[in-house]
């Protein structure tokens, strides 16, 4: 399973990329707004992210009609070869995704929650499908169970093009563990979750004792 970083924060992306484990970045309007992002600077911000990470960078469309989504997608895709156009799961989004697919532009279909949505996303030409885990959990549903169904259903078929499933709305390392066991292609994680994924108290305790014992060796 590949790790994407789910953020629009440049410092976080630089830090995570420096670890050598990040294969891409996903952003959304909320994440950009959280960084105090300005409309006029959005395209430059996406280009900056593309300069930092050598992999797909999802930039989301914010219109609702197929022609507008398509036009936005073409504009976003022109920013950098690694830009993937993020399109919401809805009828106009499917139509726009098909139009973008026909132009060779990759789409990440976002806000996907169910198997029928995921199958339609794949059928429309989406290169990536993003089932949300945490937001399902938020409404007392089982996000991992839904992700499992999406992985199984999508992998049952050949859509005639590559489709990768991105486990999204990941809230903690247990989501990462379960997404990996289910065979999700990618987990897109906030920086806080990535940091938690590498931490373990036994690792800390073990390192502490190794270093303490090495002090004894040095002083021998
Ligand atoms: O980027 C889409 C998704 O990962 C958002 O997650 O935590 O806002 O539900 P969250």
């Amino acid at each position: 399973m590949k790790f994407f970083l789910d953020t629009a924060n440049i410092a976080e992306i630089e830090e995570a990329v420096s670890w050598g484990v990040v294969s891409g970045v996903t952003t959304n309007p909320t994440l950009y707004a959280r960084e105090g992002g300005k409309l006029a600077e959005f395209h430059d911000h996406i280009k900056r992210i593309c300069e930092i990470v050598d992999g797909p960078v999802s930039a989301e469309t914010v219109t609702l009609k197929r022609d507008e989504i398509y036009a936005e997608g073409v504009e976003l895709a022109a920013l950098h070869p690694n830009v993937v156009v993020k399109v919401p799961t809805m009828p106009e989004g499917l139509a726009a995704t098909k139009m973008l697919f026909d132009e060779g532009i990759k789409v990440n279909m976002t806000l996907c929650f169910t198997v029928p949505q995921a199958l339609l996303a794949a059928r429309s030409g989406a290169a990536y499908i993003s089932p949300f885990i945490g937001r399902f959990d938020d409404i007392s549903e089982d996000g991992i169970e839904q992700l499992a169904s999406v992985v199984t259903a999508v992998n049952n078929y050949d859509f005639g093009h590559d489709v990768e499933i991105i486990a999204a709305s990941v809230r903690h390392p247990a989501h990462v563990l379960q997404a990996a066991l289910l065979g999700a292609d990618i987990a897109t994680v906030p920086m806080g979750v990535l940091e938690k994924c590498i931490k373990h108290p036994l690792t800390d305790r073990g390192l502490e004792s190794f270093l303490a014992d090495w002090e004894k060796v040095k002083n021998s």
Side-chain angles (χ1 to χ4, degrees):
M1 188 173 72
K2 288 175 278 189
F3 284 85
F4 284 7
L5 205 63
D6 197 26
T7 185
N9 183 292
I10 297 294
E12 287 180 353
I13 295 166
E14 284 174 338
E15 175 63 16
V17 166
S18 79
W19 294 6
V21 296
V22 172
S23 303
V25 169
T26 50
T27 68
N28 63 35
T30 301
L31 294 171
Y32 184 59
R34 196 176 289 165
E35 299 309 316
K38 308 251 184 304
L39 179 61
E41 293 162 11
F42 180 57
H43 286 181
D44 283 343
H45 197 85
I46 294 298
K47 281 198 260 188
R48 176 87 189 93
I49 295 172
C50 290
E51 285 161 10
I52 302 168
V53 64
D54 184 17
V57 173
S58 290
E60 190 156 338
T61 57
V62 287
T63 47
L64 298 175
K65 298 287 179 206
R66 68 188 72 183
D67 291 339
E68 296 166 345
I69 299 168
Y70 171 75
E72 244 190 296
V74 168
E75 207 176 345
L76 289 170
L79 296 176
H80 192 280
N82 285 348
V83 167
V84 171
V85 180
K86 217 172 179 190
V87 175
T89 304
M90 56 183 180
E92 293 294 304
L94 292 176
T97 298
K98 179 68 171 68
M99 292 159 74
L100 292 165
F101 174 77
D102 287 343
E103 295 297 323
I105 295 172
K106 286 190 173 171
V107 166
N108 171 2
M109 189 144 272
T110 189
L111 290 168
C112 177
F113 290 89
T114 69
V115 167
Q117 287 180 320
L119 292 174
L120 290 169
R123 198 53 72 190
S124 74
Y128 301 93
I129 302 171
S130 293
F132 279 33
I133 304 172
R135 291 192 193 186
F136 244 138
D137 293 353
D138 290 345
I139 59 159
S140 301
E141 298 283 339
D142 188 340
I144 288 296
E145 198 178 296
Q146 294 293 335
L147 175 66
S149 300
V150 167
V151 169
T152 302
V154 169
N155 288 338
N156 272 345
Y157 302 100
D158 179 359
F159 296 93
H161 60 91
D162 288 342
V163 182
E164 290 191 271
I165 295 173
I166 305 178
S169 188
V170 169
R171 302 282 169 75
H172 44 70
H175 277 159
V176 175
L177 159 70
Q178 289 159 318
L181 293 178
L182 294 172
D185 301 289
I186 298 152
T188 190
V189 300
M191 188 64 185
V193 172
L194 190 70
E195 286 167 340
K196 282 184 189 150
C197 282
I198 195 62
K199 287 286 282 183
H200 195 280
L202 290 178
T203 306
D204 294 343
R205 206 185 304 166
L207 178 61
E208 204 179 309
S209 70
F210 284 156
L211 292 179
D213 288 339
W214 194 246
E215 283 304 310
K216 293 178 203 159
V217 173
K218 274 165 55 184
N219 297 328
S220 62

